[in-house]
Amino acid sequence: MSERVIIRTEDLCKDYDDVHAVSHLNLEIRQGEVFGLLGPNGAGKTTTTLMLLGLTDPTSGRAVIDGCDCTRDSIEVKKLVGYLPDNVGFYPDMTGRDNLVFTGMMNGLAQKEAGERAKALLERVGMTYAADRKAGTYSRGMRQRLGIADVLMKDPKIVIMDEPTLGIDPQGMRELTRLIRELAVKDGRTLLISSHDLYQIQKISDRVGIFVGGQMIACGRIDELGRQLQNEGLYLIDLRAEKPDDPEGEQLRDLIRKSAGVRTVGKREDGSLHIEAGVDIRTSLVRELVDNGYVIDEIHQRGGDLDEIYRRYFEKAGETHGSTVSGKSGSPEGTENGKVQGRLAKLLHRKK
């Protein structure tokens, strides 16, 4: 991954009447980086994508991709960026191969060159076996892999993906995430991925940004975000401990609640305890439990778990985990987002 910034937004804003879809977004994404954009529906992710692709104008501020202003130089931006929507569309009565060749020819390739590139990309995404079947017979996972090949037909520097792993079986998900990482590591392409799949984002992203109500409330590497929560006085501890005369662990929970710095103690279905504290209590807690006759099977501090980080930052922003944003922020239903999103892939097929 290069230190060169290839995507930059500067105080980027988008308003729909009195609704603030995106508010003062300042973001830098480096060349060769996989950046995960996380947030609930209505958070502003799609609106941000539309502005980056030059398909809607910002109310104020600017977005720049590889030195091109996304509003004034939108044609140049379309040459640089490939877009993979959450539900890839192909001509169902054409084969996968023919769909790719058609895309290549739309992007200025001669038919022979388009055919050669399509063959190489079908091999790369593991779709050679189905290349000459009609695209209408493909499963969702097959369409997603063909979609990546389709995006690569124009050889873009930047690839933007919307929920790429949604609805794919575990094996297909593993293959797809491996391919996504390969696009960055081997090809040096920059990837911006909008997703709700926290587990997959944690596996493939170099950095993540958390979007709530049109605002980026946190941005950085996952370990950095975990440390930030600790620096702000949040320590997350998992514990397993037992003793014969406390089989249900009620005395254990009461003992922990009395410890200095402990905020909450919760019990999971597997019997382990989840502890939130304002300080690192592990040393003092171990001493106290041993003194009271408990055998400690497991104790460790969490902080690198994206699901927990996501939830805690949402709580800090006054939101509930996974909820949609209401009121006068976020992307409103029925606005330009919904009307334009379905046309993104077709528009971005063409370089000119």
Side-chain angles (χ1 to χ4, degrees), residues 24-66:
H24 302 285
L25 175 63
N26 291 289
L27 176 65
E28 291 185 349
I29 300 176
R30 293 183 286 273
Q31 184 174 345
E33 181 175 28
V34 179
F35 189 91
L37 191 61
L38 302 171
N41 293 331
K45 303 188 305 296
T46 298
T47 302
T48 299
T49 297
L50 293 174
M51 289 188 285
L52 288 174
L53 297 173
L55 295 175
T56 191
D57 295 340
T59 304
S60 61
R62 68 193 295 250
V64 177
I65 293 182
D66 199 24

Side-chain angles (χ1 to χ4, degrees), residues 19 33 47 52 59 85 97 104 123 130 147 156 172 206 209 212 224 226 240 250 258 270 299 313 317 338-339 352:
V19 177
E33 181 175 28
T47 302
L52 288 174
T59 304
R97 187 191 308 275
E123 291 175 358
D206 298 299
V212 177
E224 290 176 341
R240 288 180 184 273
E250 293 181 6
K258 295 175 183 177
D270 63 2
I299 183 169
Y313 272 107
K339 298 174 184 176
K352 297 181 181 180

Side-chain angles (χ1 to χ4, degrees), residues 10 15 24 40 43 54 64 67 75 83 86 89 102-103 118 126 131 210-211 214 250 254 284 294 300 309 342 348-349:
E10 301 170 356
D15 298 338
H24 302 285
V64 177
I75 293 178
Y83 175 69
D86 63 343
F102 179 70
T103 295
I210 300 176
F211 239 65
E250 293 181 6
D254 288 341
S284 60
Y294 285 92
H300 69 269
I309 291 168
L348 290 168
H349 272 318

Side-chain angles (χ1 to χ4, degrees), residues 133-164:
R133 285 168 46 186
K134 290 185 177 181
T137 67
Y138 286 2
S139 68
R140 181 179 177 85
M142 294 167 70
R143 290 199 306 273
Q144 289 296 92
R145 281 188 283 162
L146 187 67
I148 292 177
D150 190 70
V151 165
L152 296 179
M153 284 296 294
K154 62 187 281 187
D155 195 22
K157 284 187 177 182
I158 299 104
V159 178
I160 297 177
M161 298 182 173
D162 187 6
E163 298 286 0

